[in-house]
Structures are given as C-alpha cells and as structure tokens.
Amino acid sequence: MESLWTGRGRGALAAAMPRWNPFREPSDLQNNNIIAPGNFEGKYRNDSDVEEIVDLAANSLLNKLIRKSLVESPHNVEVLQRDPTSPLYSVKTFVELHLKPELLQGVYAMGFNRPSKIQETALPMMLADPPQNLIAQSQSGTGKTAAFVLAMLSRVDPLKKFPQCICLSPTFELALQTGEVIEQMGKYCEGVKIVYAIRGNRPLKGTYIDAQIIVGTPGTVMDWCFKLKLIHLEHIRVFVLDEADVMIGVQGYTDHSVRVKRAMPENCQMLLFSATFEDTVWCFAERIVPDPNIIKLKKEEMTLDNILQFYDACANREQKLQALCNIYSTFTIAQAIVFCQTRKTAKWLACEMLKDGHMVELLSGELTVTDRAIIIQRFREGREKVLITTNVCARGIDVQQVSVVVNFDLPLNTDGLIDFETYLHRIGRTGRFGKKGIAITLVEKCCVYMLHDIEEHFGINIKRLNTRNVDEIEKFLPKGNL
Ligand SMILES: Nc1ncnc2c1ncn2[C@@H]1O[C@H](COP(=O)(O)OP(=O)(O)OP(=O)(O)O)[C@@H](O)[C@H]1O
C-alpha cells in the first residue's frame, strides 16, 4: 500500500494537524504551556459571553482521538432490505467474507478478531455481487469506518492505475483519520495507492491521479474533478459518504457531493454512513443513494432512572460559587463535571475555584481538538477530579466514570427557555451503563420556577439539597460504584 503525497508533501500536512499521541508522558503534558493544568488566564484568552456552539465535526474528531476500542452495543441491528425477498445473511467471522488473503492479513494485524455488530450485517451486503447501495446508521465507534474501508479495499483492482473508490469526509482532519485506517488495513495490499484530496495537498498541474483510492473533502474533490481535471470519475466503483450528519452542517458540501456523484457511472456502489438519522440526513441520503438497503443500530437509550436529581437555590453567582466549593469536598470520592452556559462564566468559575484552593480543570471550545483530547484523557485517567466546561462537552463525548454533574447555569435556548435536550445530555454524562449518579442544578432564586418545567417535561422530581450541609450531600452520593 502506498500513500501518494503530491505538491507540498506529507510533512506539511502532518504539521498542519498535530496528531494526538495518547502515549505522551505527563511531563510532556506539563511542559506544554497550552495544556498545563491551571493557569487559565494564559491559555483561555477568548472568554466570550456568547453561548458555546457545539461543533459536530470537532466532536467527531475528538471522539476518534480519545477512543481506545470498539463501542459495543447491546442492541440488535435493524435492517430494511431493498429486496425483502432476498435472503439476509450475516457473518460471525472475517473468514466467511472470502476476502483477499492480504486484506484479511491487514484486518487481523489491526487486532480485529471478529466483526462488530454493525459489520456482521453490513459487510455481506457491501461485498455482495452485484454491488448494493447501503445507508447505515450507528453510533460513533461501532465500526462503520473499518467496514467501508474493507469494502473499498476489497473492490480495488491494484493492476489498474486509476481512481476506483472515492470517500468523502466532512473535514480535513476526519479525511486524514479515514486515510490512516485505509493505509493500516491495506498495508499488505501490493500496488494499491491512496491519495488525499484535501487542502494543502495540491498535485502538480498536468499530473494525473493514478491512485485507486481517493479520500478527501467534498470541495477539494470537486475542484480536482471539474476545475483541475485531475480525477476521471468514469471508473469509480465505490463512492462513500462518511459522517453524513456532520457533512450536512457544512455549507455547500451536500451540493458538492451530489455533483461529484452525478458524474460517476450509474452502477457505482453508494455507501452512506451517519451516527444519527435526523430528517435532514434522510433527505440528503435519499437524494444521493438510489435504491438503498438500510441498516440501523439503536443508540444506547439515555435514561434518567438511575440519576438522583437535586437543586439548590442561591441569591447570585457568588453564592453559587460558594455552593460549589461546599460540594467540592465530597468530590474526593467522585469525579464531577460542572456545566456553564458561556466560556466567560466557565473561565471565571475555574479561576475562582483555583483561588479558593480547589484543583479543577477547564475545557472550552476555544482549545484545539488535540488539546481538548489531552484534557479529557487526563480527566478520564482521574488526574483531575473536577472538569469545568461549557456545552461543548454536553453530548457525544464519553467519560464513563463521572458520578456527579453540576449545572452551574441552567441550560437555556435562544428564547431564554429551558433547553431540555441539553439538560438531558448534560446530566446523561453521569449514571452511564446503569451506574448511579447525581445531578445538582444551582439556580438563582428568581429562576426556581424553571425547574418545574424540567420536572414536568421529564416526569421527575428534583429535590432541594442544602449545599451548606456537607453531611446531607454525602448521604446522597452513590456508594460502592464510583
Ligand atoms: N471488528 C472490530 N474488532 C475490533 N475493533 C474494531 C473492529 N472494528 C473497528 N474496530 C475499532 O473500533 C474503533 C471504532 O471503529 P470505527 O472508527 O470503525 O467506528 P465508527 O463507527 O466509524 O466511528 P466514528 O463514527 O466515530 O467514525 C476503532 O478503534 C477501530 O479500530
């Protein structure tokens, strides 16, 4: 397997995206100014009081960077077949797929012993002859990328020196991550080349792309196809659209993707992947994938049953700070995430807590994804007990051992009303996988009525907790499984 870097070469690209190295020693982390614990003044300069906007592409990359292994799902795969009369079959081993030996070797070299739940059903469909189109949805980390990479590599003819598979990703960094999986899995595939159609990797004019696999972002791929005429699309056999839910958030990307797709042969196999299936994703999927098979893997249901919910009413934010400092002493046996609505409040709170002698870490959206990954990793390892953050951390990011969530601010939408979904996602950071957790919302006295909206919406009861009484708090902290 060869990776083709034209133009400025790989060094420039690698420099543009500092890779996350999970094996960095703590001393390296401490020496790096940007991520040194404490010293929030220096590293967080943009303390905007505008609400933090969740960046789906950044979260998706963050999850990839901090993930250690496959996310196993307890749910069964749901399948909607294009032809319901054709037998549906799934595989329990990679051998049953009759892969080329060098590809099987690559799969095993990655440490994959058996297909994941989504791969069991998706792979036979993706590798079937004649090729079938597929739309697949399952949560992040369940093995989608590995599945479509395997499908591309198994369809490639190494003797033919022209593009045969294209994979579109929503960002430069996500395309690089996918490319890395292709390079790893295809490392024993002689004569197969991959090229990255991403900004900064511009081939010389007049050259012709002889790589069989192209991975890139829709804008650059479109330019290479139509403006620079570097890619001929008439022999493309597999077209993959990855992270469709993130893709539709980037302006113009759905149209670019449709344009590229229209120039491909009609019988080209279309594979579309997404972590969610909202209406917008469906519309896009239906526009671009004719006659699809559809596979869905249910998400882990978020439940509030095992989360005890409390509130305390405070006069102002200084009193809320005091309440948090009182609660802090109970965190010696637990790990907590504290949610603020804006970067400015989060930074203020972190600085005040630190001044008061409490060790906390701050995470907001202004840090690069790599630095965010380092902070989350430290928190996961238990090096920090308390993470103060904004909504950037409310959904999608997995830290399993959190047992206390504090809402320093109520989650509000742009109309100033409770944002129920964000409340659910925030407090869902605790109580994962059936463990017990507690959620404490600190609310200004004038806003206590808003808690009733939450109670009514979720059909729950949020009890008053006296945060001045540490004994009372400890009484409620879940024991035995922290
Ligand atoms: N069959 C398998 N056995 C063991 N590990 C696997 C298998 N398939 C994938 N993995 C590993 O599991 C992790 C998640 O896989 P992958 O990236 O393919 O998931 P994904 O659903 O594409 O996630 P995302 O939506 O974030 O891109 C990766 O570390 C990958 O190497």
Side-chain angles (χ1 to χ4, degrees):
M1 176 100 207
E2 222 183 294
S3 150
L4 200 65
W5 293 90
T6 44
R8 288 161 49 202
R10 189 168 193 146
L13 280 156
M17 188 204 171
R19 299 288 170 92
W20 157 243
N21 176 359
F23 304 108
R24 269 213 275 183
E25 285 302 312
S27 55
D28 292 343
L29 301 178
Q30 316 284 345
N31 290 339
N32 181 338
N33 283 335
I34 309 171
I35 52 149
N39 180 23
F40 304 125
E41 291 298 343
K43 64 182 176 179
Y44 294 87
R45 293 194 177 84
N46 176 4
D47 51 353
S48 148
D49 58 0
V50 178
E51 211 173 294
E52 192 94 84
I53 292 173
V54 179
D55 178 343
L56 288 180
N59 273 4
S60 174
L61 180 62
L62 191 53
N63 271 323
K64 281 183 200 271
L65 296 179
I66 60 180
R67 185 179 305 129
K68 291 253 166 42
S69 59
L70 195 65
V71 174
E72 302 275 2
S73 167
H75 301 291
N76 282 329
V77 172
E78 241 181 275
V79 184
L80 275 170
Q81 269 183 298
R82 183 181 54 169
D83 174 7
T85 58
S86 82
L88 175 70
Y89 78 103
S90 66
V91 289
K92 292 284 175 210
T93 65
F94 286 110
V95 173
E96 290 170 71
L97 293 166
H98 307 292
L99 301 169
K100 299 177 224 178
E102 60 274 24
L103 191 48
L104 191 60
Q105 199 184 351
V107 169
Y108 286 147
M110 290 179 81
F112 301 177
N113 298 323
R114 56 180 183 80
S116 71
K117 213 157 224 173
I118 187 107
Q119 289 164 0
E120 284 179 3
T121 319
L123 284 171
M125 269 183 192
M126 285 198 264
L127 302 179
D129 257 324
Q132 302 182 12
N133 292 346
L134 175 72
I135 298 177
Q137 176 266 328
S138 77
Q139 78 188 82
S140 168
T142 48
K144 299 186 294 296
T145 309
F148 69 71
V149 166
L150 189 59
M152 286 198 292
L153 285 167
S154 65
R155 295 236 184 248
V156 150
D157 181 346
L159 299 175
K160 295 183 174 151
K161 306 295 177 194
F162 48 74
Q164 297 162 38
C165 305
I166 293 187
C167 171
L168 298 185
S169 292
T171 65
F172 171 102
E173 293 84 356
L174 291 168
L176 273 184
Q177 293 287 324
T178 302
E180 250 177 42
V181 180
I182 300 173
E183 288 188 42
Q184 271 179 32
M185 199 178 278
K187 84 173 170 197
Y188 301 105
C189 299
E190 285 278 322
V192 177
K193 277 192 201 170
I194 168 177
V195 68
Y196 292 79
I198 47 185
R199 82 183 127 80
N201 192 31
R202 200 168 222 225
L204 298 171
K205 251 198 166 152
T207 49
Y208 164 72
I209 303 289
D210 63 352
Q212 293 90 348
I213 302 180
I214 296 167
V215 53
T217 50
T220 309
V221 169
M222 195 176 77
D223 280 355
W224 284 24
C225 293
F226 306 118
K227 215 193 259 168
L228 304 173
K229 302 204 185 311
L230 296 165
I231 303 174
H232 299 296
L233 295 168
E234 63 264 25
H235 300 300
I236 299 293
R237 304 173 67 188
V238 185
F239 183 41
V240 179
L241 278 153
D242 191 20
E243 312 232 12
D245 46 348
V246 181
M247 192 88 87
I248 49 180
V250 185
Q251 208 181 4
Y253 269 16
T254 50
D255 292 338
H256 296 340
S257 309
V258 172
R259 184 147 177 232
V260 172
K261 193 251 156 171
R262 285 208 179 118
M264 290 179 185
E266 273 204 3
N267 62 355
C268 164
Q269 182 178 25
M270 293 286 314
L271 307 171
L272 181 142
F273 296 84
S274 178
T276 60
F277 257 167
E278 275 133 38
D279 290 350
T280 41
V281 181
W282 266 119
C283 289
F284 176 46
E286 284 181 343
R287 242 176 107 195
I288 203 158
V289 189
D291 264 346
N293 291 308
I294 297 167
I295 297 184
K296 291 185 196 176
L297 184 61
K298 267 209 215 147
K299 265 180 36 179
E300 180 208 338
E301 292 291 337
M302 226 183 240
T303 146
L304 300 181
D305 296 348
N306 45 346
I307 305 171
L308 288 172
Q309 294 171 69
F310 298 100
Y311 78 97
D312 198 6
C314 307
N316 50 34
R317 80 171 182 175
E318 280 68 25
Q319 253 194 25
K320 289 205 273 182
L321 166 67
Q322 194 48 55
L324 191 57
C325 291
N326 295 346
I327 301 169
Y328 186 93
S329 65
T330 63
F331 296 161
T332 47
I333 52 159
Q335 266 189 296
I337 298 189
V338 181
F339 285 103
C340 300
Q341 194 73 352
T342 66
R343 288 180 190 175
K344 191 173 185 172
T345 310
K347 182 175 164 184
W348 170 82
L349 183 61
C351 291
E352 293 299 317
M353 295 281 292
L354 216 57
K355 270 194 235 159
D356 209 46
H358 301 299
M359 270 308 290
V360 295
E361 185 50 277
L362 172 62
L363 176 72
S364 80
E366 81 179 274
L367 289 184
T368 65
V369 171
T370 320
D371 288 334
R372 279 190 248 168
I374 291 170
I375 289 175
I376 292 176
Q377 193 60 27
R378 288 177 59 88
F379 184 64
R380 275 179 161 187
E381 286 163 7
R383 294 199 221 172
E384 263 87 39
K385 291 274 179 203
V386 178
L387 187 67
I388 297 180
T389 189
T390 55
N391 288 334
V392 285
C393 225
R395 64 184 71 190
I397 294 166
D398 224 1
V399 184
Q400 287 175 19
Q401 71 277 28
V402 174
S403 45
V404 181
V405 164
V406 178
N407 286 311
F408 191 80
D409 295 313
L410 281 168
L412 300 179
N413 61 24
T414 43
D415 297 327
L417 302 171
I418 295 288
D419 177 346
F420 297 111
E421 213 184 321
T422 301
Y423 179 83
L424 180 69
H425 281 284
R426 280 185 182 183
I427 76 165
R429 297 301 96 209
T430 184
R432 315 248 6 230
F433 302 104
K435 290 184 178 179
K436 291 204 173 96
I438 70 172
I440 304 169
T441 300
L442 300 174
V443 61
E444 280 164 36
K445 282 180 180 148
C446 57
C447 298
V448 171
Y449 73 94
M450 289 182 138
L451 289 168
H452 300 315
D453 295 344
I454 299 177
E455 290 186 317
E456 208 169 285
H457 184 89
F458 292 109
I460 48 157
N461 181 16
I462 307 180
K463 293 190 211 91
R464 177 97 190 240
L465 178 79
N466 181 0
T467 49
R468 284 165 300 282
N469 182 348
V470 175
D471 288 346
E472 189 182 350
I473 303 168
E474 281 182 351
K475 203 169 68 198
F476 288 115
L477 270 180
K479 308 219 164 39
N481 62 354
L482 296 177

